[in-house]
Amino acid sequence: MAGPNLVNMDVHRCRFVPYPLSAINTLAFSHDSNPHTKGKVLSNVRLAIGRANGDIEIWNPFSGNWYQETILRGSKDRSIEGLVWIKDPDEEVDGVIIRRGRFRLFSIGYSTAITEWDLALGRPLRHSTGNYGDIWCLAVQPWKAPIALKKQSVGKEESRKSPHLVAGCADGTLVLHSTADHDLRFLRTLARSSSKKARVLSVAFQNREVIVAGYADSMIRIFSFHNGQQINSMSLSAGPRGGPSEVLVWTVRCLPNGTIVSGDSTGEVKFWDGRTFTLVQRIQSHKSDILDLVANTDGTIVFSGGMDRRTTMYRQTTNWPKRTAGRWAEIGHSRIHSHDIKAMAAFETREMSVVASGGLDTSPTIIPLREFKMEHYRALPSLPHLSPLQSAPRKRLVMSWWDREVRIWQISRSPHSSRGDGDYSDVEGPAANKLVSRILVQGEENLTSVALSTDGSVLAASTISEVKVFGLRDSKSAKKGALKLQKLKLPQHSAMNGAKIVQISPDSKWLLVIRLDNMIQLYRVIQPRDIKGKLQFLTKPAVLQRLSRASNEGITITSHGDYGKAISRVAFSADSRILVVADLSGFLDSWVLEGHEDLTQEADGVEEERVRQPDYDSDEDMDEESHPHVIFGQHWIRNPTADVMPKLPSTPLILSFRPANPSAVSTSTNGHSIVHPTRHNPHPHSHDLPNGEDRLFILTAHNHIYEYEILAGKLSNWSRRNPPAHLPRKFKDILDRAMGVVWDISGDRERIWLYGSTWLFMFDLSRDFPDGMLGFDGVPTGPTGGIDGKKRERDDGYDPEEAHDRKRSATGAGKRIAAHRLDAGMSRTFLKSQGSDQHHAQRISTEARVASSDGDDNVSSEDDATVHASTLVSLRRGGKEVTSNSHDGELLDTDGEPNVGEGDARRWKGGPAQWYTFQYRPILGIVPLGGEDDEGLPSERSSDHEDFRRGIEVALVERPSWDEDLPARFYGDQEWNK
């Protein structure tokens, strides 16, 4: 790796591992925009992204720290072409709300069906279809009339009804569907078109009573919601000279004052009067088709996106001095995307104001709405946040999966590995790697999870309808190196039920299956008695029960039903005797395997049993203790300290146990004490709990790091000495969330390598973070930053005023653009001077200073809390001060050594405490290779220094966008190929 030799690790940069990216066809926010809402509402907002492969991604904005919560997997030859959210009415008794209405998600996909999705189960809930053409567009009836149309506002009883869905079809019909009574059903056909070319390409509600539809025959038609009668129509005239005669109305939007905005195939944005239905203004802002439009809450700003890759902003001017609404003007445009923009969605609250866009370049992009051109946009990762890579280190196998396909590669050893020379060129060519297995899973559904055992002998794959397990063996065929696939038999009731997560324990003895309803099952793997035998599974699984938690016990996603209880991450300890699962709400559940393995005992539970459904409100202990499910002398029980584990402040993104240190493993061969059977206890088993490594590393969506001692039910000493406030500023400022982790535990090393789609960070957990790290407001805290609570002045160019502006102005996209880097328009500040004296000029801001929503008092209290935490950390560290020892992997001396002074040699003796690089991107995943049994690995090392230099060996898979096979893009004026 390009970095200090003391943090060396051998990196196989693998770009041959495929992962086909899928285009974004549609986006939708779960909540309606409201510039007056703030705070808790943001915690419930979700962004749904529909892709061409049928998958739906659910993203959490999380105060601008966007992360992917889950993926609703699609199926073969199906695409998501439209998404809408609705909210069921609240349930009230005597005017008091007793239950909040749930948010429901619906999709269409070039078929006659509308599909409702179950977010908690991650699968389609119901479908509705009828005798009409393929659905091309979908719109939701609004709750109430826009502010400008108060005469058409609805009463309280009417607003309590569930909204209707209107779909536009390829045969020119508009059809109505009902969502009442928690159902989805076809009601009637609203309107039919007499023209054969009148495909409905777009549809929107002007208010609850009026529907606006854009057609493929150069027409926009207005219909009544009640009787389907056509109220009016608007013609876009003929197409441009030399082009098609028909103009395609790809998108229509209705503003709060009733104005209708359309975007079409000529690249024009047209504004229509909402009362007279006449053209008011047209703006030729695009060189090709406009595919989508969005507007802000009050209807004064409109964004458009199209095939020419332009994102254009329009603003309505004000006529002075009457202060009446004037004409629309194009404010500016940017080419943010590298390909066609197919979909856009806007969301606006008091703190947040963004436009989400996506298209053929597969990357969701968040654009500032109110602060367009004043804040940076942000491109979210196009790769999944949960890496689809796993490895069998000892056999040097790397497994990747997507859609319905699994591939396994064998990575050869580099000649540099045994010398510890660090990074080497990309691993390419048949001599460097080999595809040893390719599995095409039968069925229609896409894979939800795939797991490979650490010894490379078992592979498990799941969809929403079934679970399949395969055995892997070396093949004796002429194709040297290929793996022989052998399908293993699971109990019928287990194989025919789908799962969201499958995982194999590190010792390959347990198959973990997380069902769609979050039931947790563990199947015992029985090894064959000879080489030719097949792996088998005990028929009766161990069913683990989670702690009962009421919905008001901190679960913040109540408006999405049981979605917050969905299990998202799992982790086994290194000895496979501790299991931890985490849900989206931040709760942790843990179990331990008590007793010792005794293969002489008869396995319990060989008969099939009825699979129990999870009941979160029932007694969690049930009869587990009175009738334990003993398997070869062992029994899974709930962790005795599970009930004292606190709820995490945000969703955990990474759960990983520390590996057992080989040098610390006991070599005792005395064995375990045998529990003898008696007349009253013919099948005894030991109740000994695990005594191995139980420290669990957790990284949350806040980019906060915690380490728990699971068996003790408390934070580890390292975590108590290193709270999140002491994390390096460089790490806390990373926008892309973490995807995975790789450990380097051997000798006296305790290193953890964290990675995201664009970064790689190393922490040495054997040492503490430096004191005096920057607090949330950029002011040093801790012993070196003013324990007495006084802010210390800085001399490194830090500007508190600019930091305050940057903090208050973040609207959910990127960071605020520095004033001196604004590329267009008027600056945020100007200089005020008298005469020609420029030395005493005063800088005046053109923006009104807006106080934070929480007030300055909360800022001061947070300062005090940070100072108090720093004081406590200093006491836990025994009053010792730790100096900074971080290193950027790209800043080296010419000899490749860390650039430190002679006085810092002592601190560098064991390598740096932190290290990072941004040279790998985009990263699909990083997995370890090699092991103690790997042939060619030196058994003896010359010195401790060589041990540090050698490090670990990993395969790093990159999927650069230029390697993707995308269709040809539109090239307009002022563009050149490079």
Side-chain angles (χ1 to χ4, degrees), residues 805-825:
D805 290 341
R806 185 169 59 252
K807 179 178 182 298
R808 72 167 179 84
S809 301
T811 59
K815 296 181 179 180
R816 194 152 174 86
I817 301 176
H820 65 278
R821 294 187 177 180
L822 291 176
D823 56 354

Side-chain angles (χ1 to χ4, degrees), residues 539-767:
T539 303
K540 182 180 178 180
V543 180
L544 308 183
Q545 300 293 330
R546 300 167 66 188
L547 286 172
S548 176
R549 298 183 177 100
S551 59
N552 60 353
E553 193 181 339
I555 298 181
T556 60
I557 319 179
T558 53
S559 57
H560 294 286
D562 292 333
Y563 176 63
K565 297 178 180 179
I567 296 175
S568 59
R569 298 293 189 271
V570 300
F572 276 103
S573 63
D575 60 0
S576 304
R577 297 191 61 186
I578 305 177
L579 171 65
V580 177
V581 302
D583 60 24
L584 294 175
S585 298
F587 286 107
L588 299 176
D589 290 274
S590 56
W591 299 265
V592 296
L593 185 61
E594 69 171 8
H596 303 289
E597 184 180 39
D598 184 3
L599 297 179
T600 61
Q601 289 194 17
E602 181 180 354
D604 184 22
V606 291
E607 297 89 7
E608 292 193 23
E609 68 166 11
R610 181 176 61 86
V611 178
R612 294 174 291 177
Q613 298 298 323
D615 184 3
Y616 298 104
D617 298 325
S618 63
D619 182 9
E620 63 270 11
D621 292 328
M622 298 173 53
D623 59 349
E624 189 175 293
E625 295 300 327
S626 58
H627 298 89
H629 183 186
V630 181
I631 302 175
F632 296 129
Q634 294 179 306
H635 173 218
W636 283 98
I637 64 170
R638 178 173 293 118
N639 179 20
T641 62
D643 56 345
V644 301
M645 293 292 291
K647 177 181 178 293
L648 296 173
S650 58
T651 303
L653 301 183
I654 291 180
L655 296 180
S656 181
F657 279 93
R658 285 203 190 198
N661 194 326
S663 62
V665 175
S666 174
T667 58
S668 174
T669 59
N670 294 332
H672 305 293
S673 60
I674 300 176
V675 181
H676 298 282
T678 64
R679 182 176 60 181
H680 300 288
N681 187 14
H683 302 290
H685 69 280
S686 172
H687 294 276
D688 292 343
L689 296 179
N691 58 2
E693 182 62 76
D694 69 333
R695 286 176 291 180
L696 177 68
F697 179 90
I698 303 173
L699 189 144
T700 68
H702 273 302
N703 254 13
H704 288 178
I705 291 177
Y706 306 93
E707 188 179 56
Y708 280 102
E709 295 179 3
I710 295 298
L711 297 180
K714 64 178 183 179
L715 289 172
S716 68
N717 292 332
W718 179 89
S719 190
R720 289 165 58 84
R721 297 193 309 270
N722 297 274
H726 278 241
L727 284 169
R729 172 61 66 185
K730 196 74 173 181
F731 181 77
K732 291 194 289 187
D733 286 345
I734 294 176
L735 294 179
D736 292 336
R737 303 295 91 176
M739 297 171 55
V741 60
V742 176
W743 289 91
D744 183 10
I745 303 293
S746 60
D748 53 357
R749 288 197 301 265
E750 298 182 24
R751 295 173 181 166
I752 185 170
W753 296 81
L754 299 167
Y755 67 89
S757 62
T758 58
W759 54 271
L760 178 63
F761 225 105
M762 185 276 293
F763 292 116
D764 188 345
L765 302 187
S766 65
R767 285 178 281 180

Side-chain angles (χ1 to χ4, degrees), residues 870-892:
S870 298
T871 306
L872 192 59
V873 167
S874 179
L875 293 175
R876 289 171 178 170
R877 294 179 178 181
K880 296 179 180 180
E881 178 180 339
V882 181
T883 55
S884 178
N885 189 11
S886 61
H887 184 68
D888 185 343
E890 299 173 355
L891 302 178
L892 303 175

